Amino acid sequence: MEFKEFKETVLREFPDLGEEQLAKFEAMDALYAEWNAKINVISRKDIGGLYSHHVLHSLCIASYLRRECPQFHQALLDGAQVLDLGTGGGFPGIPLAIMYPASQFTLCDSVNKKIIVASAVSEALGLSNAKTVNARAESLPQKFNFVVSRAVASLEDFYPWVKGRYTDAIFYLKGGDIAEEIAGMMGRNRMQKGAVHTWPVTRWLDDEYYDGKFVIHID
């Protein structure tokens, strides 16, 4: 997917995006191509799918919020504290930081070379609302309004890392057999029925690549 097609896709869903935001999205292509040649954070076979497989996937969280949770969408537009745990090269945190410039994003990963890329891209894009941290979640001192992440571990493993570190919700991008993972997480942590919601991303992105992929919302 070239930037022109990405722009058309994203503007249909988010018509209020400004030119400065679109310019940042456009700049991501060259920045990730340059950095990925030095430090491989995106499969080299998939770097051509930056917009279709990584940026749009990250923005599925924003699509879910706009359609299903307008109160949280507005909270992020107004300004919130967000942790992106296991950010890798900056996903979903960097696209979401562009989408929600009033919110503050902490991009956290325990692998330093990945944080080098996320830091460099974030700085080059001029994202004053994004900071990077080479650490584990349990070492972070503050609480966040929201936690976002993209398939860094099973839900049963992931949830204990952030339990007690957020006040509002987790939005987790995950595919595969999620029913078993959700049941395991809820049972292990004695979560109440209705605490977890799933949203197929194909409700926005009608592409077979996204079949079986979800936004998982944990209250």
Side-chain angles (χ1 to χ4, degrees):
M1 176 183 282
E2 300 295 329
F3 175 72
K4 181 180 178 182
E5 185 180 354
F6 165 81
K7 180 179 177 180
E8 291 170 352
T9 301
V10 81
L11 282 177
R12 282 195 296 269
E13 186 73 357
F14 306 102
D16 295 332
L17 275 178
E19 289 301 321
E20 184 177 350
Q21 290 166 294
L22 290 168
K24 292 182 191 301
F25 282 126
E26 185 172 16
M28 289 178 73
D29 191 19
L31 286 168
Y32 274 104
E34 176 187 351
W35 274 101
N36 209 59
K38 302 173 187 175
I39 301 174
N40 189 208
V41 293
I42 296 172
S43 165
R44 291 201 167 99
K45 294 186 298 182
D46 199 35
I47 191 65
L50 178 75
Y51 289 121
S52 56
H53 294 171
H54 300 280
V55 183
L56 283 177
H57 193 200
S58 299
L59 294 179
C60 286
I61 291 173
S63 176
Y64 168 73
L65 294 177
R66 188 185 72 82
R67 295 178 182 215
E68 307 293 341
C69 300
Q71 74 280 17
F72 288 155
H73 181 60
Q74 191 60 50
L76 283 158
L77 288 171
D78 292 341
Q81 294 289 332
V82 185
L83 171 63
D84 174 11
L85 183 60
T87 190
F91 300 99
I94 286 177
L96 290 173
I98 297 172
M99 176 65 65
Y100 296 111
S103 287
Q104 297 296 315
F105 287 78
T106 298
L107 280 55
C108 178
D109 204 289
S110 61
V111 180
N112 186 55
K113 70 175 185 177
K114 295 179 179 180
I115 284 296
I116 290 171
V117 176
S119 298
V121 172
S122 178
E123 183 177 352
L125 292 173
L127 291 179
S128 59
N129 65 326
K131 70 174 183 178
T132 56
V133 181
N134 177 211
R136 294 185 177 277
E138 53 267 30
S139 70
L140 299 176
Q142 73 267 46
K143 270 193 176 182
F144 299 85
N145 300 110
F146 303 102
V147 175
V148 298
S149 193
R150 187 169 75 144
V152 298
S154 72
L155 286 165
E156 291 178 79
D157 291 334
F158 178 81
Y159 184 73
W161 299 342
V162 295
K163 184 179 180 181
R165 296 187 176 275
Y166 68 98
T167 60
D168 293 292
I170 298 170
F171 302 107
Y172 196 68
L173 294 166
K174 193 81 164 65
D177 185 10
I178 61 170
E180 185 175 341
E181 286 189 35
I182 290 171
M185 175 187 65
M186 294 183 72
R188 182 185 296 181
N189 295 280
R190 299 180 181 178
M191 299 168 74
Q192 294 183 351
K193 186 177 180 181
V196 181
H197 318 273
T198 61
W199 187 77
V201 302
T202 48
R203 290 187 183 172
W204 174 31
L205 300 173
D206 185 16
D207 185 317
E208 65 180 13
Y209 175 81
Y210 288 107
D211 287 347
K213 291 182 170 63
F214 299 85
V215 175
I216 302 171
H217 170 183
I218 304 169
D219 286 329

